[in-house]
Every structure is written in C-alpha cells, then in structure tokens.
Amino acid sequence: MSTNETSAHDKFSSFLRCIEEGCEAQYSIDQRLYSCPECGGLLDVAYDFESSVSADELKALFKSRKTSDLDIDRSGVWRFRELLPFVADTSQAITLAEGNTPIYAAPRSADYAGLASLRFKHQGMNPTGSFKDDGMATGVTQARVLRATAVACASTGNTSASMAAYAARARMRAFVFVPAGQVAFGKLAQALEYGASVIEIEGSFDDAMRIVRELAEETDLYLLNSINPFRLEGQKTIVIEMMEQLGWRAPDWIVVPGGNLGNSSAFGKALHEMARLNLLDLRPRLAIIQASGAAPFYELFVSTDRTALKPYASAATLATAIRIGNPISWKKALRAIDWTRGIVERVTEQEIADAKAVIGSDGIGCEPASAATLAGIRRLVAAGEIRSDDTVVAVLTGNLLKDPDYTIGYHTGSLTLDEGGTRTVIEASFANRPLRVAASKDAIKRLLNL
Ligand code: F0G
C-alpha cells in the first residue's frame, strides 16, 4: 500500500440497498444477494460518503497512483478505490491491469455524425478486450471476499471471456452459459482458453440468464452477471477515468450501447456519486443506444407508461453482444436516464454496420455493438437532440478482433441477418474488398496502376 493510502473503509460504510422506492431495505455487504429478499428489487452497493477527503485531494491521489509500483495502484479500476470502498482489505483485490483505456479523437466519425468533434473511450483496449474487465475486477474480488470457489454467468460472449480470465487469476472454477451458435468466435475462444466450463444452451441469452439466476439461488455458484451489484462498481470507473482524462471537465453527452443495461446503470451511479463528492462540474447527459431488433428499453423510454418493460420474445441483431430481449437492469438504467436527463435511441442493422466501418476509417475499430454509439449519435444530431458543437464521448465497448466474421462479411458484401423467415442484406456501403491477383509482380502492377 502506498504511504498516502486512505483506507477507504475507515471513512465510508458500505451496505446493500434495494433500489425500489418504498422498500429501500438494507443488507450487509457480506450477504450473497442478487436481488432484494423483501421485494425482489435490484440492489445497489451503497455508501455513506460522509468523506473528509476533498475532491481535490481525491483527484491528486488518483493521479499519484499512476506512477506507483503497485499493481493495485496501476489498475484503472482500483486506482479509484475511494469510490468503491466495499473492499476492507485491498490485498484481496484481483487485477489484470484493467482500465487505463485510451480516449481517441475521431474526426471522420465526427464528420459522419455531423459533430464538430467526437471522442471515443475505447474499452476494447482492456485485457480481455471489453469493458467487462472493469466489472470483473470488482465482481471476482467480492467473490473471493465471500469465499466463493465457483462463479457463473450467462453471456453473449464478452462477460464469459472476462469472467473466465478473472476467475482463472483468482483460482476459481468458472461456468459460462451461452446461447448456442450466437457467440462471436473471438469471445468463445477466450472463455475456452482461460479454462471456463462453457455450457452452450439451446436457446437465447435470455433463456441462459433465467436459468443461471435460478441455479445461483439453488447452488453455491456465485453469479457474476451485472445483476450482481459488485460488477457495476468496477464499471463505474469507466466514467471516473473518462472525467480524469478530460481534465475533470464533463462532456455534454456520454453515449453507450445498451443490451442488458448494466453498463448504462453503472454510468448513472458513477455520475450520481461523483456529483455527491464534488467531482463533477456539470451533469453530462447519457444517451443509450439499442439495436432496433433488440430495443425493449427504447420502447419503454418512448412509451407513456414506464412502469413495466415489455420484453422481446425473440431479439434479433447481428450485433450479438446486445442481442437481448429482456434486459435485467432496466430499472437502474431508467434511473440513470432520469438522473441525467438522458435519452434512448435505436438504430438499424445497416446503420450499425456503416458506423462500424466509419470508426474503422479513423484507425480505431470496434465490435458491432460498440458501433451502435456512432449510429445513434448521427441520428440524435439529425434530430436536433445533440447539437453539432456539443462535447460528446462515446464508449466503444469491445475490440474489433472479437468478431472478425462480421467485419469480413461486411467488407465482402456477404453480411446478412436471417430472422423469422426474412433475410436482411446489409449493403456494403463503405466496403473495402480484398483484391485477389495472380502471384506475379506484373499482374499486381496492372491491378494497382503502379
Ligand atoms: N457492448 C458489448 C461489446 C457487450 O459485450 C455488451 C454486453 C454491451 C455492449 C451491452 O452492455 O449489457 O451492460 O448493456 N454484453 C454482455 C455479455 C451481455 O454477456 O457479454 P450492457
């Protein structure tokens, strides 16, 4: 521990609290709970932030840790541990040097969206290539604190890859439940390589999610989906780190894709707590973007009755990461929208595919779900919701290499979505086809006009 370590635990008390208005029941953080035993509501890890540490002291502390020799200080999650003070003994913290992800300016993407400027915070630059690592650092740490020996999740791929890696580091068994045939190969390969037991369910992600929740209630498996509030604690640091990188000047908008809605929920909680700790100069607005074939939260947002989300019986999108019809964290995401005067948008398969190629043209690249952000921004600028001179940071959630089949399919004009007996063909509007040529210098010169 560094000498200026503020043992977070001395200053803040931590507990679990039901988010349902009128319930708000509290439980000890040592209990293995995924929802409120009283009313079934989602749980927050809540803190009594009556802190004697000023915002300026916190900022200085976060910065100083970047040059520390300790793994825990260099982690882009644990560096911000004053805002995740549920771990009493930080020697328990698991880390794979997650976080510390770059923010890139993206002029071509900005042009495409109709913005003067646009930045991407690239969570695909994490150790397993997605934002899930920020959450698994804290989630698997809590699993260790609770002495769990086996962890489990349902996943469209990235959660399973990340949980498998962090469980391996913590020497725990990992069981991942994935929809058979619907997980991008890059992600499946990771879960296998990190030694998780991979169970391919003959059904959807939503089926896998329902089953693994029931299993976690009935067995010793510790559930590490984002319904587990300790996962979201780590994902808060995506926004905290973004603010630090922006010199603690908040952008007008933070844009994120929405699937199971854990990340959106974590961002809302981060902003709420940062405001309490005087770490925010203004409250950025959150824009959550869904794929139109998997957009139950968008429909809730535009409906007059926001008390019940209507799940999709069957969700369809080539952005398999967000192919989710019954998002588990929708109430927390709605709270995030309320806190931030946020907005929800949906985008088509074609818009996602084109936006992904445009992000690639900035030399950045991402997986399909992440590109929903740029497609959504473009729509929101066209609709006048986002102004062209607003400052916007979009979060790219996963690495380009997660799903090479999609990218090759797009650039070779063979990307199609087959669903319910209909086929949607994706136009390769920004195609960059490979050129095949005889193994001859002359043929190549002719081909390339050299
Ligand atoms: N982007 C990527 C690359 C994802 O993997 C996910 C979710 C999302 C966006 C949506 O985030 O669920 O917090 O709203 N992937 C989960 C998984 C469901 O199993 O890997 P969310």
Side-chain angles (χ1 to χ4, degrees):
M1 254 182 228
S2 53
T3 44
N4 59 355
E5 177 77 4
T6 55
S7 170
H9 231 66
D10 301 341
K11 296 194 164 54
F12 310 129
S13 67
S14 318
F15 49 95
L16 291 170
R17 184 174 58 211
C18 175
I19 71 159
E20 290 294 327
E21 257 173 54
C23 178
E24 287 155 20
Q26 296 187 8
Y27 306 94
S28 153
I29 55 161
D30 304 330
Q31 280 182 272
R32 240 194 219 213
L33 295 175
Y34 311 109
S35 57
C36 175
E38 292 283 323
C39 75
L42 297 171
L43 297 172
D44 270 335
V45 184
Y47 305 110
D48 170 12
F49 272 129
E50 300 318 323
S51 164
S52 55
V53 187
S54 74
D56 283 342
E57 282 172 313
L58 281 176
K59 291 176 190 174
L61 185 60
F62 299 154
K63 189 171 183 185
S64 71
R65 286 181 180 148
K66 288 186 182 182
T67 53
S68 161
D69 290 333
L70 299 175
D71 287 349
I72 189 178
D73 286 343
R74 285 204 305 259
S75 157
V77 168
W78 295 113
R79 202 155 65 76
F80 302 105
R81 55 193 173 271
E82 281 66 24
L83 276 83
L84 350 151
F86 66 88
V87 189
D89 172 6
T90 47
S91 71
Q92 296 278 306
I94 307 279
T95 178
L96 279 168
E98 55 287 319
N100 295 314
T101 58
I103 287 199
Y104 298 120
R108 288 184 170 140
S109 299
D111 253 10
Y112 179 73
L115 288 174
S117 71
L118 170 62
R119 279 170 288 197
F120 288 119
K121 179 152 179 67
H122 204 330
Q123 290 300 111
M125 300 303 179
N126 261 301
T128 79
S130 85
F131 71 94
K132 306 289 181 180
D133 294 341
D134 293 69
M136 284 301 166
T138 50
V140 174
T141 295
Q142 181 65 5
R144 177 193 255 188
V145 168
L146 296 176
R147 300 185 193 287
T149 54
V151 291
C153 67
S155 181
T156 56
N158 281 325
T159 301
S160 65
S162 181
M163 189 188 79
Y166 281 80
R169 296 301 297 177
R171 295 163 178 258
M172 290 173 193
R173 296 188 69 193
F175 296 87
V176 308
F177 297 81
V178 296
Q182 294 175 37
V183 174
F185 256 35
K187 306 174 186 182
L188 193 59
Q190 289 178 293
L192 294 172
E193 188 85 349
Y194 300 134
S197 300
V198 176
I199 299 106
E200 298 186 306
I201 303 250
E202 292 167 357
S204 65
F205 167 83
D206 298 296
D207 294 327
M209 188 67 248
R210 178 175 41 79
I211 293 167
V212 77
R213 268 188 85 172
E214 289 171 15
L215 282 174
E217 295 297 338
E218 292 169 21
T219 70
D220 275 347
L221 292 178
Y222 186 64
L223 184 61
L224 277 175
N225 279 101
S226 54
I227 192 171
N228 182 325
F230 294 96
R231 270 270 317 275
L232 300 189
E233 289 307 289
Q235 287 170 219
K236 287 189 319 195
T237 63
I238 299 168
V239 170
I240 304 169
E241 187 176 86
M242 175 194 301
M243 283 292 298
E244 183 186 51
Q245 286 166 311
L246 299 176
W248 301 100
R249 278 185 301 277
D252 296 311
W253 292 91
I254 297 175
V255 187
V256 63
N260 219 12
L261 299 172
N263 220 17
S264 313
S265 301
F267 288 13
K269 188 168 189 278
L271 292 169
H272 198 256
E273 291 175 354
M274 289 172 82
R276 280 173 68 193
L277 293 170
N278 297 320
L279 288 168
L280 272 189
D281 52 345
L282 62 88
R283 188 81 63 97
R285 297 178 70 183
L286 198 60
I288 301 174
I289 318 296
Q290 295 208 289
S292 49
F297 190 60
Y298 167 80
E299 284 178 19
L300 179 84
F301 177 75
V302 294
S303 96
T304 45
D305 174 15
R306 290 190 182 169
T307 54
L309 174 132
K310 292 193 193 67
Y312 280 25
S314 113
T317 170
L318 291 167
T320 49
I322 50 174
R323 186 173 176 176
I324 295 173
N326 192 11
I328 215 160
S329 293
W330 69 267
K331 282 195 178 169
K332 284 187 180 175
L334 196 57
R335 183 178 68 170
I337 289 292
D338 287 344
W339 280 341
T340 65
R341 294 187 303 116
I343 198 161
V344 187
E345 183 55 280
R346 66 173 170 190
V347 291
T348 65
E349 292 299 302
Q350 186 67 52
E351 289 172 311
I352 292 174
D354 289 341
K356 191 171 111 59
V358 172
I359 294 167
S361 77
D362 267 314
I364 297 173
C366 62
E367 71 165 274
S370 311
T373 53
L374 179 60
I377 294 166
R378 189 167 192 249
R379 271 197 181 218
L380 292 169
V381 171
E385 295 281 1
I386 297 181
R387 293 201 325 243
S388 61
D389 60 348
D390 279 351
T391 49
V392 182
V393 181
V395 176
L396 299 180
T397 45
N399 195 287
L400 170 68
L401 298 176
K402 290 277 192 175
D403 192 354
D405 290 345
Y406 180 104
T407 308
I408 301 283
Y410 179 82
H411 287 290
T412 56
S414 60
L415 194 60
T416 55
L417 174 63
D418 292 302
E419 187 60 30
T422 55
R423 165 166 284 200
T424 311
V425 178
I426 309 300
E427 300 289 326
S429 325
F430 298 93
N432 179 19
R433 290 170 199 274
L435 307 171
R436 185 165 287 212
V437 64
S440 125
K441 193 168 63 186
D442 287 343
I444 293 170
K445 279 186 167 170
R446 272 198 305 279
L447 180 73
L448 301 181
N449 285 324
L450 294 174

